[in-house]
Amino acid sequence: MNRLAQLLLCFFIFPFCIHAQEERRDSIVQEFKENLTAVVRETGDKIRTKVKDLNAIDTTYISPNLYNLAFMLEHSTWYEHYQLGTNQNYQTQQLNFSPNMGTKMGVYFGWRWIFLGYTFDIEDLFGGNKNKPKKKEMSLNLYSSKFGVDLYYRKTGSDFKLRSQEGFYQDNQFKNIQFDGLQSSIMGLNAYWIFNHKKFSYPAAYSQSTNQRKSAGSFMAGFSYSQHKISFNHEKLPERLQAYLNPDLKFNRIKYSDYSLGFGYGYNWVFAKNCVSNLSLLPGIGFKKSKIDDHDFKDEHWIKDINFDLITRAAVVYNNSKYFAGASLVMHTYDYRKPNLSVTNSFGTLRIYAGFNFWRKKTKIH
């Protein structure tokens, strides 16, 4: 009877035990969901606080952007220059190449910090460049009050010209002759930090996302990384130059990566209502890691060196918050040197643009 009583007792108690376990499991699941929701909400609040801090400004000097989105059309002009040089036995040789300055149209779309754009050659639309080498340029820009990031990619065609040369018996005899033995591409990233970000607005000059109301300047620190590829065929040079060409200039390809730390200064001058001009210089010390595929020898030479780079920016902008127009110039100069070979390449873009902002931000009611 005792054993039967125990079995009956277990039979009646078992459902209550199961129910208690299910209630405990549901309680644990609910507690987990509440904790997860709290963590997500807290993380979101921290992110919003950080984002707000990144755009903190002194409204006496800077007016915030009143719109979420922007649309812009631009006309851009490219400039590019390559100087290849060598110094051996106290004899210096230099070759200077550059294409004719190219012009492009660009379409850009911006959302707050981010500007994404694509440029194209106008002649391509009408079939005028069918037999010309294609050039490409793409960029992505992110700007806030405290920092900015530029991502870019450029690829030239083979329409370079030999502009001048030094160190040959026929000095400056060959000028502006067509040279299809040089091609190049570059991709890179620039990141910079603005110290006086509450009074000095880089976006006011280069992304039209804020308005500079009073003149101000700031020191800046930056980091840049870029990867360069240069293909060179010296056999396309005039024969009289080839006869005296230094062996160090007889290479096929140069590929080098550039890591640079810079420190500079920028200034916004408000010279009229809704009008601002900017000039900034960011010199840097660059560490180059290069790979040269030499024409005369099959092996590869790895070279590590430290040299100087420079990023120059200038801009003039009219911006009444709704509509904007302006012009900007950005120049990059990369310098690589070793005892028997030097490569200096510069490229820049002059942009003339106009656009408008739309989708006005909601005004918070306190």
Side-chain angles (χ1 to χ4, degrees):
M1 289 294 298
N2 289 338
R3 185 172 182 80
L4 180 60
Q6 290 176 356
L7 291 174
L8 291 173
L9 183 62
C10 291
F11 178 78
F12 286 107
I13 292 178
F14 181 75
F16 294 100
C17 293
I18 296 296
H19 181 69
Q21 291 179 357
E22 289 179 350
E23 286 186 344
R24 186 166 179 269
R25 183 187 61 190
D26 292 342
S27 176
I28 293 174
V29 171
Q30 183 64 28
E31 183 179 357
F32 174 78
K33 289 180 178 180
E34 291 176 355
N35 291 336
L36 180 61
T37 302
V39 169
V40 171
R41 185 183 297 112
E42 183 180 357
T43 302
D45 291 340
K46 289 182 178 179
I47 292 176
R48 282 189 289 271
T49 301
K50 292 293 184 181
V51 170
K52 186 177 180 180
D53 183 55
L54 288 176
N55 284 298
I57 57 176
D58 183 342
T59 54
T60 304
Y61 286 80
I62 303 169
S63 295
N65 187 18
L66 303 177
Y67 298 87
N68 290 295
L69 302 176
F71 177 79
M72 181 176 73
L73 294 176
E74 73 166 27
H75 176 275
S76 60
T77 302
W78 285 20
Y79 168 81
E80 199 163 7
H81 176 264
Y82 284 84
Q83 182 184 87
L84 308 179
T86 184
N87 189 342
Q88 192 174 50
N89 298 326
Y90 302 101
Q91 181 184 5
T92 299
Q93 289 185 347
Q94 287 184 356
L95 299 171
N96 293 283
F97 303 93
S98 67
N100 292 330
M101 288 193 295
T103 57
K104 288 181 173 289
M105 288 294 295
V107 179
Y108 286 80
F109 184 79
W111 176 76
R112 296 190 179 184
W113 299 357
I114 302 173
F115 254 82
L116 179 64
Y118 182 77
T119 61
F120 55 90
D121 198 309
I122 301 175
E123 294 184 12
D124 288 343
L125 299 178
F126 304 99
N129 276 346
K130 288 183 178 179
N131 298 322
K132 291 185 179 181
K134 299 297 183 181
K135 299 180 181 181
K136 295 180 180 179
E137 181 183 29
M138 299 182 67
S139 62
L140 173 63
N141 309 105
L142 186 151
Y143 298 100
S144 74
S145 297
K146 281 189 176 181
F147 71 91
V149 177
D150 300 323
L151 297 171
Y152 58 89
Y153 171 77
R154 294 169 63 106
K155 182 179 181 181
T156 67
S158 58
D159 58 343
F160 281 88
K161 289 185 178 181
L162 176 61
R163 300 297 183 178
S164 64
Q165 61 279 324
E166 298 179 11
F168 297 86
Y169 292 108
Q170 303 88 5
D171 266 358
N172 299 319
Q173 181 175 345
F174 299 98
K175 285 187 176 182
N176 301 323
I177 64 171
Q178 200 69 35
F179 181 75
D180 61 356
L182 181 66
Q183 291 183 328
S184 67
S185 66
I186 177 173
M187 61 183 298
L189 175 149
N190 296 323
Y192 43 86
W193 185 267
I194 310 297
F195 290 97
N196 188 24
H197 64 276
K198 291 186 177 181
K199 296 182 178 180
F200 171 82
S201 176
Y202 228 30
Y206 296 101
S207 71
Q208 304 81 48
S209 57
T210 58
N211 288 50
Q212 188 80 43
R213 295 306 183 189
K214 294 179 65 176
S215 301
S218 176
F219 287 102
M220 300 177 292
F223 167 78
S224 67
Y225 166 78
S226 58
Q227 187 177 95
H228 307 251
K229 296 180 182 180
I230 303 170
S231 298
F232 179 61
N233 185 354
H234 73 278
E235 294 180 353
K236 296 294 185 72
L237 292 169
E239 292 184 1
R240 282 181 289 175
L241 289 182
Q242 294 185 46
Y244 298 100
L245 192 65
N246 190 298
D248 286 316
L249 289 175
K250 297 179 180 180
F251 59 85
N252 287 333
R253 291 175 299 277
I254 293 179
K255 177 180 178 181
Y256 74 90
S257 299
D258 180 280
Y259 306 83
S260 179
L261 293 175
F263 187 81
Y265 188 82
Y267 189 78
N268 280 350
W269 175 39
V270 180
F271 59 91
K273 184 179 179 180
N274 299 324
C275 296
V276 62
S277 63
N278 171 271
L279 177 64
S280 64
L281 299 175
L282 190 64
I285 299 177
F287 174 82
K288 272 75 171 178
K289 185 176 181 182
S290 301
K291 183 178 181 180
I292 300 178
D293 184 5
D294 195 273
H295 179 78
D296 295 326
F297 303 97
K298 299 294 184 180
D299 59 332
E300 296 173 340
H301 306 280
W302 287 86
I303 307 151
K304 298 179 180 179
D305 208 351
I306 295 177
N307 293 279
F308 292 97
D309 303 323
L310 176 65
I311 300 177
T312 304
R313 297 174 184 264
V316 178
V317 181
Y318 168 80
N319 187 351
N320 67 1
S321 295
K322 178 65 176 179
Y323 300 99
F324 57 85
S328 66
L329 173 67
V330 180
M331 290 289 298
H332 299 256
T333 301
Y334 299 93
D335 186 44
Y336 167 74
R337 295 182 183 274
K338 70 165 188 149
N340 294 329
L341 180 64
S342 65
V343 178
T344 301
N345 58 311
S346 303
F347 71 88
T349 305
L350 172 65
R351 292 184 167 94
I352 301 173
Y353 55 84
F356 60 91
N357 296 305
F358 60 103
W359 188 12
R360 191 179 180 94
K361 295 178 181 177
K362 295 181 179 180
T363 302
K364 294 183 179 181
I365 301 176
H366 298 282

